[in-house]
């Protein structure tokens, strides 16, 4: 049996490329994880997600616990079987979504009481329950339950929140227990305060995890603040464990974070943008609603090999976006996920060939936010 | 160059099986044509539509003339290229949709003035313009422009409308002109009045068409009235030309119409039902919203080979339908189109083996309307 193991294959400055070995397959790093919130990467068939180059998906504990329910998914054979994705799945712990989606939250040392955003049902999440849910789902990489405070906040507020998250991290690790072949990741908190990030990283290392995430970023702060926080945090994380920047991001965020030593990413941007008619391309971000595409016979991105680019014109994509056709979401999601996976493949190659700085400089012009 | 040609391969009572040869490929009959209204079979990639067994799609003149416009599609290389469907396409003439969707219609001998249901823009359709649009789209089978009166209506009303449609049929045929490899079909009108249907069929034969459609049915009349009308009409149509029952229908409608000599069908039922969480199965129609499927680990239809049935459980389909996920529309549309194409394949085989009556009796139990 292959246990969870991170194999580093190349290094370029702070950036690394490698492979995470899991029971359900290899994850090439730096890796981008498409978000499969409710047991589906929206508008995509699972084999199409795989065809874009994805090695691992992210599932959301919060959404799945509310609908269809973790115990139900377990009775149906686990999340991999349920959603027809036999490869690795990472699940978040629900901490972030409880803060951003649920109403009537009440946080205590024990956990968080809240109401479902779907039907108002009373629910409870604690470190123990969050880990139980992830175990029921059959998640390959399980995240500790943490508190995600809104930014900006004072040093005192963030310090208190971080300290609570560290106590919850210990309880999460204890609740995770021993699950052969599965991994448990800690989450560094501390806002944009370097001293708190360092203390958080040290506290997590003391507990000991299979991987280390950086949480509480990409919540509206400028990119420079995010990069500075990474520069303050990453050197305090173990070299031999994967590092995951949660909820990030735009292509330029990912490139900058990879250059600062991050190995894993997840973000709804490629999928959500696709459903809104927006495409990431080698020529920059494009809004397909724009009338200038109405008679453009050319491909969405001449450098892309996805079905949207090889089989349809920009004019067709414009038409189906304007007409609100489902195929618009299907094609633009497929394209954007391909763009992201191609970017990760280019990053892995650039690192292995020690030319990441050059790659980063070249990309700075093209990867603007949508 | 292969010209348009109908080859009959088998007969069983009034039912026929055969192949329509066209420049863009063969159409096995009896044939079901998925509806690709706005240059997309909703929620399906074109290669997936083909994978269900479809030989030909239907496109809607009315929708395409309004958005993105026939001239625009022509400049972009025609409808086949635009929507990535290299196989045969049949287009309706817009007559039916003008009646059912447009507002402020004004019918004259010349044609129909109306307002677009999208933006209120003033538009005009006549036999000449409807045929010009279909030629611009590059349609392989073009339908004459007809008037589709609402039922029930008096004999006098239907007679007047049918007579107008016959004058329009002549103008349509003249406007179609000579288009090597492409076909022009006439449309029999006359409501449920047998005498009018016979007169309409005779008038169309006098003009001479490559195929003959039966229009003005499936507009709310009982199935028995539809079947009686077919029995009155079909014997007056040429044996050596394909016969097309427009806008039909439920599986039992199709089986009964095939038994009465119809070769081609189109209907939004499998695609629209799929988007509404309804599935046609060998065990009857199912509504996946139903709570009894919430923990059903079995396949949607054990006799079906489509991805929805082979890769997911009823419980998963229930979940994604309830959650309003796009993959629910994708999977149930794929399944329903597969069900329809499997039905057509079974009908073709039953006719070729002279056991259609037996097949019809066996199916009567299972193919209930959703």
């Amino acid at each position: 049996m292959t246990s969870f193991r991170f194999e580093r294959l190349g290094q370029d400055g702070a950036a690394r490329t490698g492979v995470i070995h899991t029971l359900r397959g290899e994850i090439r790093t730096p890796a981008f994880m498409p978000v499969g919130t409710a047991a589906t990467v929206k508008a995509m068939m699972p084999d199409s997600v795989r065809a874009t180059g994805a090695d691992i998906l992210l599932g959301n504990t919060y959404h799945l616990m509310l609908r269809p329910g973790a115990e139900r998914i377990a009775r149906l054979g686990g999340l991999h079987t349920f959603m027809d994705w036999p490869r690795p799945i990472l699940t978040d712990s629900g901490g972030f979504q409880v803060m951003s989606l649920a109403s009537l939250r009440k946080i205590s040392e024990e956990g968080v009481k809240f109401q479902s955003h779907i039907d108002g049902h009373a629910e409870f999440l604690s470190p123990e329950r969050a880990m139980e849910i992830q175990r029921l789902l059959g998640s390959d990489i399980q995240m500790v339950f943490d508190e995600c405070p809104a930014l900006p906040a004072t040093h005192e507020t963030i310090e208190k929140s971080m300290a609570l998250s560290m106590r919850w991290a210990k309880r999460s690790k204890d609740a995770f227990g021993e699950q052969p072949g599965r991994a448990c990741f800690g989450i560094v908190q501390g806002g944009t305060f370097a001293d708190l990030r360092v203390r958080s990283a040290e506290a997590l290392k003391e507990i000991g995890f299979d991987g280390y995430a950086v949480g509480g970023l990409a919540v509206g702060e400028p990119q420079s603040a995010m990069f500075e926080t990474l520069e303050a945090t990453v050197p305090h994380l173990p070299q031999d464990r994967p590092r995951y920047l949660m909820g990030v991001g735009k292509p330029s965020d990912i490139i900058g974070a990879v250059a600062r030593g991050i190995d894993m990413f997840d973000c709804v941007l490629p999928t959500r943008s696709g459903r809104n008619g927006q495409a990431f391309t080698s020529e920059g971000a494009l809004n397909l609603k724009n009338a200038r595409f109405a008679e453009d016979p050319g491909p969405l991105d001449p450098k892309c090999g996805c079905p949207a680019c090889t089989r349809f014109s920009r004019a067709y994509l414009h038409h189906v976006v304007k007409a609100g056709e489902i195929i618009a979401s299907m094609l633009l999601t497929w394209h954007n996920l391909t763009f992201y996976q191609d970017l990760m493949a280019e990053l892995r190659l650039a690192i292995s060939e020690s030319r990441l700085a050059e790659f980063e400089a070249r990309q700075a012009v093209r990867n603007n936010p949508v």
Side-chain angles (χ1 to χ4, degrees), chain A residues 5 13 20 35 37 43 68 98 102 136 148 155 171 211 231-232 237 245 259 263 305 313 333 335 348 358 360 363 366:
Chain A
R5 183 168 59 88
I20 301 171
V35 178
T37 302
V98 162
L136 286 164
C148 299
H155 189 279
R171 283 167 54 190
E231 287 162 15
L237 299 176
L245 179 55
D263 308 302
S313 60
T333 300
H335 169 74
R348 292 191 293 266
E358 179 211 323
E360 196 176 357
Q363 298 301 310
R366 85 175 213 208

Side-chain angles (χ1 to χ4, degrees), chain A residues 14 16 188 194 197-198 201-202 205 214 227-239 243 259-262:
Chain A
R16 310 103 65 80
V188 181
R197 288 283 174 181
V198 173
E202 298 298 336
K205 280 194 289 186
V214 181
F227 285 171
E228 283 162 21
T229 304
L230 289 181
E231 287 162 15
T233 307
V234 171
H236 297 270
L237 299 176
Q239 278 284 348
R243 303 160 183 163
R260 288 162 179 84
I262 297 294

Side-chain angles (χ1 to χ4, degrees), chain A residues 91-339:
Chain A
T91 44
D92 65 9
S93 63
F96 180 77
Q97 262 88 23
V98 162
M99 301 301 155
S100 58
L101 292 177
S103 54
L104 291 178
R105 292 180 301 275
K106 200 177 165 193
I107 304 177
S108 67
E109 184 67 31
E110 178 60 16
V112 185
K113 286 184 188 169
F114 62 96
Q115 286 192 343
S116 159
H117 75 287
I118 298 172
D119 60 7
H121 197 78
E123 295 278 352
F124 180 68
L125 265 181
S126 63
E128 291 75 20
R129 179 59 181 156
M131 301 315 290
E132 182 183 29
I133 289 169
Q134 294 180 78
R135 184 195 288 251
L136 286 164
L137 297 175
S139 172
D140 302 285
I141 303 180
Q142 303 176 23
M143 304 301 299
V144 300
F145 188 64
D146 59 346
E147 202 211 345
C148 299
L151 296 189
T154 63
H155 189 279
E156 189 190 349
T157 302
I158 298 291
E159 183 173 20
K160 274 191 183 165
S161 169
M162 183 273 283
L164 177 64
S165 284
M166 295 305 102
R167 295 192 296 276
W168 283 0
K170 177 71 172 76
R171 283 167 54 190
S172 296
K173 179 73 193 304
D174 290 346
F176 175 79
E178 295 293 325
Q179 296 185 50
R182 293 181 184 170
C184 182
F185 279 24
I187 305 177
V188 181
Q189 289 289 353
T192 51
F193 299 106
D195 63 319
L196 299 183
R197 288 283 174 181
V198 173
R199 279 170 50 195
S200 179
E202 298 298 336
L204 293 175
K205 280 194 289 186
E206 182 70 26
I207 302 168
F209 286 96
D210 301 305
Y212 293 82
V214 181
L217 290 177
V219 290
E221 78 284 359
Q223 188 185 65
S224 58
M226 183 173 81
F227 285 171
E228 283 162 21
T229 304
L230 289 181
E231 287 162 15
T233 307
V234 171
H236 297 270
L237 299 176
Q239 278 284 348
D240 62 347
R241 301 292 157 96
R243 303 160 183 163
Y244 162 31
L245 179 55
M246 303 183 78
V248 172
K250 298 191 298 286
S252 66
D253 295 335
I254 290 176
I255 295 169
V258 163
R260 288 162 179 84
I262 297 294
D263 308 302
M264 300 168 70
F265 300 88
D266 79 282
C267 192
V268 296
L269 194 57
T271 40
R272 182 174 293 165
S273 298
R275 296 197 304 284
N276 289 329
Q278 298 172 320
F280 294 90
T281 80
S282 60
E283 298 167 6
L286 302 178
N287 186 334
L288 270 302
K289 286 178 191 145
N290 197 304
R292 72 186 164 106
F293 300 121
E295 292 216 8
D296 188 338
L300 174 56
D301 186 343
K303 294 190 180 154
C304 180
C306 86
C309 295
T310 55
R311 288 160 41 183
F312 298 93
S313 60
R314 288 174 167 185
Y316 181 79
L317 296 170
H318 169 80
H319 165 64
V320 290
V321 166
K322 291 287 281 185
E325 290 289 345
I326 291 174
I327 200 171
S329 294
M330 295 163 65
L331 289 173
L332 292 180
T333 300
W334 198 321
H335 169 74
N336 284 344
L337 287 178
T338 302
F339 181 88

